[in-house]
Amino acid sequence: MALNLPSPNPRIIRHERALWQRRFWEHTISDQADFNQHLDYIHYNPVKHGLVSCPHAWPHSSFSRWVNHAAYDATWQCTCNDPHPPPLNLAKLDARSE
């Protein structure tokens, strides 16, 4: 007769906590276009996840500093006055670095 014991939780075995992401992929920025793409991802992520409607509305973002350095237009991906925002166009964003 086999015992149906619960399997041990791998997070307990590895001494992991729920705060940290289990998977991590290191990435070295290869060029200016790659850097721009990562900045776009960072600044658009709160919008993508529905936390804010526009990148400038996220209080913890570096977006305003990049606007001050003229790397972004202040209205980049802004939907404050548009009830149906356009999707993020990565091809258009990559053209900035050329």
Side-chain angles (χ1 to χ4, degrees):
M1 183 162 120
L3 295 174
N4 289 331
L5 297 174
S7 59
N9 185 336
R11 286 187 174 207
I12 294 172
I13 292 170
R14 293 185 192 109
H15 304 286
E16 294 176 349
R17 301 229 168 125
L19 176 66
W20 300 108
Q21 182 176 339
R22 287 190 75 192
R23 295 174 303 273
F24 171 77
W25 294 275
E26 183 177 346
H27 176 77
T28 302
I29 301 296
S30 58
D31 57 16
Q32 187 64 45
D34 190 30
F35 181 75
N36 290 347
Q37 187 175 10
H38 281 79
L39 275 182
D40 293 342
Y41 173 82
I42 290 167
H43 293 134
Y44 193 73
N45 210 31
V47 177
K48 176 182 168 185
H49 291 285
L51 300 171
V52 292
S53 60
C54 301
H56 67 82
W58 185 243
H60 312 291
S61 178
S62 62
F63 182 72
S64 61
R65 281 182 270 160
W66 287 100
V67 168
N68 290 339
H69 291 293
Y72 284 95
D73 181 66
T75 59
W76 179 80
Q77 294 295 318
C78 184
T79 59
C80 291
N81 299 318
D82 186 359
H84 304 289
L88 181 62
N89 184 346
L90 291 177
K92 181 181 175 186
L93 299 174
D94 286 340
R96 282 192 331 205
S97 63
E98 295 175 354

